[in-house]
Every structure is written in C-alpha cells, then in structure tokens.
Amino acid sequence: MTMRFAILFAVLMPALNFAQTKTFTARELIAGVKAARPSGSLYARLRMEHGGTVLQVQVKRRALPEGGSESLYQVLFPAERKGEGLLLKARRNAFTGATFVPSKGVRTLKSGDRDTAVFGTAVDVEDLLASFLNWPDPEIVGQEKEGNIPCTIVELRAPKGSASTFSRARCWIDEKRYATMRVEFFGSRDKPLKTVTTHKVIRGSSGFYSPVNFTVTDHTNGSSTKVEGVRSDSDVTYSDADFSEAAFQSVTPAPGKGG
Amino acid sequence: MSFTQFTLKNLLRRPVRTLLTIMGIGLGIGAVVALLGLAWGLEQSWAEGMRARKTDLVVRKSGGGLVAQPFDESAVGKVRGVAGVAAAAGLMGEVLSVEQVPLMVITGREWGTFIWDSLEVKAGRLPAGPDEKAVVLGLIAAETLGKKPGDKITIEVEEFEVVGIVDGKAVVENGGIVMALPLLQSLMQKPALVTFINIRLQPDVGDPKAVAQKIEQELPGLKVEIAEEVFANSDSVKTFQAMNWGTSAVALLVGTFGVMNTMLMSVFERTREIGILLAVGWRRSRILRMVLWESIALCAVAGVLGIVFGIGMLKVLSITPWIHGRLEPYVGWDLSGYAFAMAVLVGLASGLYPALRCTKINPSLAIRES
C-alpha cells in the first residue's frame, strides 16, 4: 500500500510542479525584455575587443520627451582613435544619426545605413537600435538551454516594408530574468547572419537584469566583437549641449547625477 | 613479512584499480588545494597590502560587500580627532578597464598622508602634488600595461602622465594605478567622496577595537574594522569561502565513496584469505586495522599527488590575466598539511565500513564457500 502511494506520488509530483509554473506568452516575454532595457538617462563605459584591437568606449543616453532615445557613443582609447563618435536618435523603428571621425569630419547616416559598423566592429547600428523587439506577432518556437540556463525561444518576423537588414530574429529568453541570452538574426535563408550571445547578466539598481558581457558574431564575414560593460550610472542629468554637434566632436566626461 | 608490508602488498594486487582510485581522490584533493590556495591567497594579498601601508584600522560604509560605497570625505577630519588615532587618510578605490587591460584597481590617495609612504619609487618619481595630472604604476601594473615613466596613459576620458613606477610591497598594491585623490574624484564625478579611511593608531593603543568602537559612535553609518580582517569579513568573501568549502566537500565526498567502493571490492575478493587469517589466529581487531591501514595508505599517496597537482594548478592560474597582478595564490606548508590531513581523514572514513564488514566474516563459511 505504501509502495503504491509512493509510486503514485512520484508520478503526480512533476504534474503538480508543472501546474504551479506560470507559462508566459511570447508577447509577455518580449514585453518583459523591453521593460528590462534601461529607459531613462544612462552613462556607460564599455570595453570592445575586435580582431585583437581593444576599444574603450563611453556611452551617453537620454530618453526624449517625445518618446525614443538619443545616444552618443565615443571612443576613448586607443589615443589615435579618441574622439570617434556615433550619434543616434531612435524612435520605434526609425532613426537619424551621424558618425564622426576627427580626421574626416561628420557623416550623416541615412535610413538605409542600418548596417553601418560601430567603430569598425561587428556591432552595427541595427544592433544598437534593437528594432526587432518592436516587430509584431512574436511566437514561441521552442525551449532550449543556452549555456546552463533554460530559455524560451521566441521568433519575430520583420513586418512588410521594414527597413531592417534582417527578416527574422530568434531570441533565447531567460524567463526568470527577462534576459536575452542569445539572439540570432536571419535573412531569407535558415542560417543566421548574426548572433549575439550573452555571457553575463547583472541586476541593476532598477531591479531589472541587463546583459553586461556579450559577443556579437557576424557570420557573413566571420568577425566577432566582445563587448564588456565596465561601469554604468543611471539617472544622470544631460542637457541638449551633451548631444550637440560640439559635444559630438569632442570628448567630455560624464555629467553629474540628477539632483 | 611485517604487518605494514603485508598491508601495502594488498594494495598492489590490483595495481590498475589502485592507481585509478588514487587518481580519483587525488583530483579531489587537488581541487581542494587549488580552491583554498586562491581563497587564502586573496586574504593574504589584502592583509599584506594593509601591512605595507602600516594601516591598523579601515573605515568604510556599512554594507559588507566587497565593492565599497562612497561616503563624504569630511569623515576623515572627524576620525583624526578621535583619541588613539595617530593619522588618518582618505582613499577612493575603483576597478576600471584601462587601455587594453580588462580590469585594474585604481586608488586615489589623500595627498600628504602616510599611505604614500609605503610606495618605494623604483623608477621616475611620485607626483609633485595633488593637482599634477600624473599617476604612478605598481610594478606589476607597469608590466601589464607596458608603460614606463614619461609615457601617457588613458584612464576613462582623461590622459595622464606616468611619472613613476613603485613597489608597494604587496601584490594588491603592485597590481594597481595610484593617483592623488582629487584627480580620481574628478575623473569619476564623485567630488568630496571617499570609499575608505585608513587609520594608523598611536603606538600606546592597547585595544584597537576600543578605538574602532569610538569612531563608529562618532560616525554612524560607517563601519570600522581591523585592517587585516576587512577582506575576510566582507559578505562577498564569506560567500566565496562558503562556495569553496561546499565544492571541496562535494569533491571529497565523491572521493570517499570511490575509495569505499574500492576497499569493499578488495575485501570481497579476499574473503577466503581473511577467513584463513582468522582461522590461524588473527584477531578481528587486527583484520580491522589491516583494512583501515590499506585505505589510509591509498589516500595518503593520493593526498601527496593531489597536493602536487593542486600546487601546479595554482602556478598556472597565477599567470593567467584574471589572477596575475591581482593576487598571489597561497602555497604554504600549512595548506599542504591541511590537504594531507583531509586525505588521511577520507581514508579513515572510507575504510571504516569495509573494515567492519571484514570483522563479521565467519572463518569456516569463508573458507568453505570460496
């Protein structure tokens, strides 16, 4: 009698466990990932390693009153490249921007320049915009472990008329932390054109988790860039001057925090 | 043949099995040595740094994490006024990515205080004053960055001149960059803030903890600790140590069961022989000692091999970029002795059950059945 009860219990336990686990929809997962992305003002320092070259980069970002964000990326090291910059103003799937190289001046980015490499690395403007998160009708296509982390795979397809360089994206999402542990981008074929693999996720002061170490691999040319977060400060106070043409063409430190 | 020779000969009957068991437990002991060597090395590096700076007490913000939180530098002046305090110095510590190096410790030190005294100039000079946009590099930091006096170094958005290379007398000192406090405060946009106060006590202070308590009463929200204990008291270090102990315990438990299995197999194979020994007059206690000695001898050899393996791993780890310049793994006789003692204990624990099984053998049944 005891043995039968034990067997029944062992069979029922997984079912009971399953019943207690919440199942997220694809929309909920994508909404969670979007909510976890820093939305206010931010200052960050990054270390990028590409093809043996190390770049130290600073990032200034602020939310815009009309929606969207404005970001300024600038190279701090090596000395011969200090001052190279990328300015992006993004709102949903549209963007305006410009690049700056001290010896060459400012070049305005057109809407078709989404594949512009950031400082010659495997990261491009499309990666910074992360517009795939706004694509409609996400769909859960599987469950898989990425590293040791159980993930739900969500697939998104670019809508008709999308300016994105990709037509499809697959995200491996850690449901517990709403963190994308891996993202694969596809063109018309089934082989990914680009992969972003997250190595480390940390919990910020907002309580949300953010990837801080990740590798971007461009499968079209076999290049890869390792991006490591060095430090970040949230709720910094920026003014229009911090994103002006003058600021774009000179390197200034992070402003103080909001009062 | 002596009892010891008889015991050891039993181990050589199945040399491959014995060797594999030794390797298994040896790997476990090696892992324990490597983990403890790193943990003790970390603590020792910190303590050496404090001794080098001749610091008796350290003030930091309550919270216990390894990453110190900044607080107002006016606290330094208040600390100087406490009885028993001979000198106090404000510091800011940051861990940043500098040029091609992923992580480097940078300290901003209050100008004109004793924490500059411990830096022995090996090349160049110290900064001329708190406003000079200059840094000095520890010996290991200079080697890692490939810099010498006169070179420029980019830290965050600013460029500094390397004016000197110094020997800080401790790995944690030599692996970092040192500048005047106001420079680092400005660089990090943290004006008038510090993350530590180093305190040197009067020579006649008998009880440092009493002075520490007085300072804590003067400055609520701040914690004062004996300098060499700061590291060991941090929550992050305690967590790291708990993880080390946990991993080591699992490794040793797995090894224990492995050795127990080997000893049980050995005993089962020798049931007839043990029956004969009992029949010719061996006492059961002697049989028990024989099996226990076999198990202990097996684990003692494994322990020695494991210690060699663990030390080898530590040497390799010490040259990796994540460890080099940040800490010196600890390799000492006490660590080896500790690991050897654990190996012997594993031998004792794993041999006990097989030994007790032996003592229950019925000689006549054992001889007849075999």
Side-chain angles (χ1 to χ4, degrees):
Chain A
M1 184 65 177
T2 309
M3 180 58 80
R4 283 182 193 171
F5 180 74
I7 292 169
L8 189 65
F9 188 72
V11 166
L12 278 176
M13 263 312 288
L16 284 170
N17 214 22
F18 180 75
Q20 289 162 16
T21 307
K22 178 174 166 44
T23 308
F24 293 99
T25 64
R27 281 186 201 276
E28 284 171 336
L29 286 171
I30 294 297
V33 168
K34 284 167 71 172
R37 289 166 67 83
S39 54
S41 299
L42 173 79
Y43 176 83
R45 272 273 291 107
L46 305 176
R47 180 179 184 272
M48 301 175 81
E49 195 171 336
H50 178 84
T53 301
V54 171
L55 299 175
Q56 298 285 359
V57 173
Q58 73 171 0
V59 182
K60 296 174 181 174
R61 184 162 78 205
R62 66 171 177 174
L64 294 171
E66 63 271 26
S69 64
E70 192 167 23
S71 308
L72 175 59
Y73 301 81
Q74 290 179 303
V75 173
L76 304 178
F77 173 84
E80 61 270 22
R81 295 187 63 178
K82 185 173 179 177
E84 286 184 29
L86 168 69
L87 183 63
L88 281 179
K89 202 185 261 190
R91 190 158 177 250
R92 289 193 69 84
N93 292 331
F95 82 98
T96 58
T99 60
F100 172 71
V101 177
S103 58
K104 296 178 182 172
V106 177
R107 181 177 83 90
T108 305
L109 293 175
K110 297 188 272 298
S111 59
D113 289 333
R114 286 169 172 265
D115 58 354
T116 299
V118 175
F119 309 133
T121 67
V123 181
D124 58 25
V125 170
E126 177 81 59
D127 298 325
L128 298 179
L129 296 173
S131 52
F132 69 97
L133 292 174
N134 295 320
W135 292 347
D137 304 324
E139 186 189 346
I140 291 177
V141 296
Q143 306 276 340
E144 198 174 273
K145 276 193 178 181
E146 175 58 30
N148 288 327
I149 298 164
C151 293
T152 301
I153 308 172
V154 175
E155 187 166 284
L156 304 103
R157 291 181 182 272
K160 273 189 184 163
S162 166
S164 172
T165 49
F166 305 113
S167 61
R168 188 163 57 100
R170 277 194 168 191
C171 306
W172 277 249
I173 300 175
D174 173 6
E175 287 189 13
K176 284 186 183 168
R177 298 179 294 179
Y178 289 119
T180 50
M181 302 309 295
R182 183 156 137 214
V183 186
E184 286 182 350
F185 298 94
F186 299 82
S188 54
R189 295 187 179 183
D190 259 347
K191 275 192 175 175
L193 298 173
K194 185 170 271 189
T195 303
V196 180
T197 309
T198 299
H199 308 298
K200 187 176 175 184
V201 172
I202 62 167
R203 191 175 184 179
S205 53
S206 57
F208 289 113
Y209 289 88
S210 300
V212 291
N213 281 9
F214 53 91
T215 299
V216 178
T217 305
D218 187 336
H219 299 291
T220 61
N221 57 26
S223 67
S224 69
T225 300
K226 210 167 150 188
V227 181
E228 292 168 18
V230 177
R231 65 183 179 100
S232 71
D233 285 317
S234 56
D235 296 326
V236 291
T237 306
Y238 290 115
S239 64
D240 290 342
D242 290 306
F243 295 88
S244 64
E245 195 163 320
F248 184 28
Q249 297 183 35
S250 63
V251 175
T252 53
K257 285 205 170 200
Chain B
M1 190 187 294
S2 68
F3 177 75
T4 310
Q5 283 174 315
F6 185 74
T7 305
L8 292 176
K9 205 170 177 198
N10 287 332
L11 286 174
L12 296 173
R13 281 190 203 198
R14 295 265 195 253
V16 175
R17 184 174 69 192
T18 301
L19 184 67
L20 288 173
T21 308
I22 286 173
M23 281 169 64
I25 194 72
L27 273 173
I29 296 292
V32 168
V33 168
L35 286 170
L36 286 181
L38 279 178
W40 291 6
L42 213 50
E43 268 185 65
Q44 193 183 51
S45 294
W46 174 271
E48 269 176 9
M50 290 296 113
R51 278 194 294 272
R53 288 187 206 165
K54 295 193 172 64
T55 295
D56 299 310
L57 298 175
V58 173
V59 180
R60 57 188 179 131
K61 203 163 182 180
S62 307
L66 200 53
V67 178
Q69 297 301 312
F71 55 93
D72 202 288
E73 70 179 354
S74 62
V76 183
K78 291 179 186 165
V79 165
R80 288 188 177 120
V82 173
V85 172
L91 275 108
M92 175 177 281
E94 296 285 345
V95 179
L96 299 172
S97 182
V98 176
E99 296 202 347
Q100 73 273 22
V101 180
L103 287 176
M104 189 146 267
V105 174
I106 301 173
T107 52
R109 303 185 182 202
E110 188 179 347
W111 190 254
T113 59
F114 67 91
I115 46 173
W116 286 92
D117 299 344
S118 60
L119 303 175
E120 184 191 337
V121 177
K122 290 298 196 185
R125 59 175 174 86
L126 291 178
D131 300 321
E132 188 188 5
K133 214 169 170 188
V135 301
V136 291
L137 309 179
L139 286 170
I140 297 170
E143 181 196 322
T144 308
L145 289 162
K147 300 283 183 187
K148 57 186 187 308
D151 287 344
K152 300 287 185 194
I153 184 169
T154 301
I155 305 173
E156 299 297 285
V157 299
E158 301 289 351
E159 198 173 71
F160 298 85
E161 187 185 353
V162 177
V163 295
I165 311 288
V166 294
D167 180 359
K169 305 286 186 272
V171 170
V172 70
E173 294 279 282
N174 283 333
I177 299 171
V178 181
M179 63 173 72
L181 180 61
L183 292 179
L184 188 57
Q185 288 171 328
S186 168
L187 192 66
M188 303 306 297
Q189 300 285 298
K190 291 177 181 174
L193 294 175
V194 292
T195 48
F196 296 103
I197 302 174
N198 281 18
I199 297 169
R200 189 178 284 176
L201 297 174
Q202 302 279 7
D204 57 357
V205 165
D207 183 10
K209 288 194 173 166
V211 179
Q213 275 172 358
K214 260 189 268 177
I215 297 171
E216 281 178 355
Q217 281 162 8
E218 280 287 317
L219 301 165
L222 297 182
K223 196 172 172 181
V224 186
E225 294 169 292
I226 305 293
E228 291 177 22
E229 294 170 12
V230 168
F231 193 85
N233 287 343
S234 83
D235 288 343
S236 307
V237 169
K238 284 179 185 170
T239 305
F240 176 59
Q241 285 173 337
M243 280 169 57
N244 273 350
W245 282 114
T247 311
S248 303
V250 168
L252 290 174
L253 202 61
V254 169
T256 302
F257 284 118
V259 174
M260 192 184 293
N261 184 54
T262 299
M263 294 309 301
L264 272 173
M265 276 173 22
S266 171
V267 158
F268 287 145
E269 282 169 3
R270 291 182 289 157
T271 306
R272 185 166 188 263
E273 178 188 316
I274 293 169
I276 292 171
L277 289 173
L278 287 168
V280 300
W282 273 42
R283 288 197 298 274
R284 292 183 189 275
S285 61
R286 204 165 192 225
I287 301 286
L288 185 136
R289 272 189 292 127
M290 178 185 77
V291 175
L292 275 179
W293 269 118
E294 280 177 31
S295 179
I296 290 169
L298 193 70
C299 289
V301 172
V304 170
L305 284 174
I307 289 165
V308 170
F309 173 63
I311 291 173
M313 271 208 293
L314 283 173
K315 296 286 185 199
V316 168
L317 283 171
S318 68
I319 59 175
T320 59
W322 310 281
I323 307 283
H324 183 65
R326 292 195 186 93
L327 73 94
E328 188 76 30
Y330 181 79
V331 176
W333 286 110
D334 48 351
L335 176 61
S336 302
Y338 186 78
F340 187 77
M342 287 178 88
V344 169
L345 266 172
V346 165
L348 196 62
S350 51
L352 202 56
Y353 175 65
L356 287 170
R357 281 285 296 251
C358 267
T359 60
K360 293 183 174 24
I361 290 174
N362 182 316
S364 54
L365 279 175
I367 295 167
R368 193 170 67 217
E369 280 178 7
S370 299

